[in-house]
Amino acid sequence: KLNIGVDIIEHGVEGLVYLLTESSKLMISEVDFQDSIHVLGFSDELNKSLLQLYLDNRKEIRSILGELAPRLPSYHSLEWRLDVQLASRSLRQQIKPAVTMKLHLNQNEDQTAQVLQTDPATLLHLIQQLEQALGEMKMNHCRRIVRNMK
């Protein structure tokens, strides 16, 4: 009916979906949304229609995006044990430490357990990397990103 190719309509719909989902994710203001679509070169009437469409549907789009997000397991508890092998038949004097951890997780009201084993040096490296990541989360740049994600 429109005498337009299917590809053009498909790309137009995909572009509109992308515009609305990204704008809803970031919860941008009316002024920022208008500035974003003004660059596209649409008529004022179409810009107003897109703005109204965004304002009417942004909460619903955010709720749908929240439902589509993957449900990741959450921490419940941790059991750990330190094993040290002091000797074997071939080596009378050796020290071979190992840390065994049982990580209990909750996912959709189901509890699962993961057993992990590592040596203390690798565990210390992992702890340092996690502490570094936590330190980076306190930086202003990361705080802004996290704030916009909510």
Side-chain angles (χ1 to χ4, degrees):
K1 289 182 180 181
L2 298 175
N3 294 327
I4 299 174
V6 175
D7 290 341
I8 295 173
I9 294 174
E10 185 177 337
H11 292 307
V13 170
E14 287 173 356
L16 183 60
V17 168
Y18 182 78
L19 174 69
L20 292 175
T21 55
E22 290 301 313
S23 300
S24 298
K25 275 185 202 176
L26 299 174
M27 284 297 285
I28 62 174
S29 65
E30 292 181 35
V31 175
D32 291 336
F33 186 82
Q34 285 176 333
D35 289 343
S36 299
I37 59 175
H38 181 71
V39 176
L40 299 174
F42 296 139
S43 66
D44 289 338
E45 184 180 320
L46 184 57
N47 287 344
K48 288 178 184 177
S49 298
L50 286 173
L51 175 64
Q52 192 60 43
L53 181 68
Y54 167 67
L55 293 175
D56 291 343
N57 295 306
R58 69 179 168 188
K59 290 181 182 177
E60 184 178 354
I61 292 170
R62 281 184 65 83
S63 67
I64 291 170
L65 290 174
E67 292 172 9
L68 294 175
R71 302 282 187 244
L72 299 174
S74 61
Y75 171 82
H76 182 264
S77 65
L78 176 73
E79 300 174 37
W80 62 275
R81 179 179 75 217
L82 177 65
D83 295 324
V84 180
Q85 183 177 357
L86 298 174
S88 66
R89 288 184 185 178
S90 61
L91 291 172
R92 297 268 186 234
Q93 292 183 353
Q94 71 174 0
I95 297 177
K96 190 176 175 184
V99 178
T100 305
M101 299 170 280
K102 189 173 187 181
L103 182 62
H104 297 274
L105 303 171
N106 291 334
Q107 185 171 18
N108 300 331
E109 300 179 16
D110 296 331
Q111 283 195 356
T112 60
Q114 299 288 328
V115 178
L116 310 167
Q117 187 172 27
T118 187
D119 60 306
T122 304
L123 186 60
L124 286 174
H125 178 69
L126 180 63
I127 290 169
Q128 290 171 349
Q129 292 296 314
L130 290 172
E131 286 176 347
Q132 181 182 358
L134 285 174
E136 289 178 6
M137 283 300 296
K138 294 178 183 177
M139 295 172 59
N140 287 335
H141 179 70
C142 288
R143 285 183 184 169
R144 267 186 258 126
I145 292 171
V146 171
R147 194 174 330 126
N148 285 333
M149 287 174 56
K150 293 178 183 179

